[in-house]
Amino acid sequence: QVQLVESGGGLVQAGGSLRLSCAASGRTFSSYVMAWFRQAPGKEREFVARINRSGSSTSYVDSVKGRFTISRDNAKNTVRLQMNSLKPEDTAAYYCAAGRVYSVTMAQYDYWGQGTQVTVSS
């Protein structure tokens, strides 16, 4: 069982930056693939970024490539999402997720946080 708690969301102007954090409980954090998803009002939840167990491999949805960076610290049971050059279309609730498969598909992730809201004003 893994419990995930996100933090770091907020209101920022376009072009600004935010760093999201996700703290995980339990002693098996390093055995999980971690990912960030987001859901805008009226839209389906979508994949944003993923990172493998060791942190040596990452991937991103095309719309955030070059602007967002996912990282993890297995010693601190934490995964982060650094978001730079934010755009109004990045406005969404952001969720971290833990799973066993290095996937971009929601169904492959077993544990989810409660979400943190990111709002980017124009």
Side-chain angles (χ1 to χ4, degrees), residues 23-64:
S25 65
R27 295 176 290 179
T28 59
F29 176 75
S30 61
S31 69
Y32 289 93
V33 171
M34 299 299 296
W36 287 93
F37 290 77
R38 67 185 179 186
Q39 188 167 18
K43 295 187 177 181
E44 294 186 353
R45 194 170 297 188
E46 66 168 354
F47 166 78
V48 175
R50 61 180 173 171
I51 188 166
N52 69 349
R53 293 172 180 79
S54 67
S56 62
S57 179
T58 61
S59 73
Y60 303 87
V61 67
D62 285 347
S63 60
V64 309

Side-chain angles (χ1 to χ4, degrees), residues 57-77:
S57 179
T58 61
S59 73
Y60 303 87
V61 67
D62 285 347
S63 60
V64 309
K65 284 180 180 176
R67 300 188 298 122
F68 290 12
T69 302
I70 188 171
S71 63
R72 68 187 296 162
D73 185 337
N74 286 340
K76 296 183 178 180
N77 284 11

Side-chain angles (χ1 to χ4, degrees), residues 55-112:
S56 62
S57 179
T58 61
S59 73
Y60 303 87
V61 67
D62 285 347
S63 60
V64 309
K65 284 180 180 176
R67 300 188 298 122
F68 290 12
T69 302
I70 188 171
S71 63
R72 68 187 296 162
D73 185 337
N74 286 340
K76 296 183 178 180
N77 284 11
T78 300
V79 62
R80 295 186 175 92
L81 186 68
Q82 178 67 44
M83 305 186 296
N84 299 328
S85 302
L86 282 161
K87 304 176 180 180
E89 51 264 43
D90 295 318
T91 295
Y94 283 71
Y95 300 87
C96 74
R100 298 293 190 180
V101 179
Y102 190 57
S103 172
V104 301
T105 304
M106 283 178 54
Q108 297 288 352
Y109 290 86
D110 304 308
Y111 302 102
W112 293 82

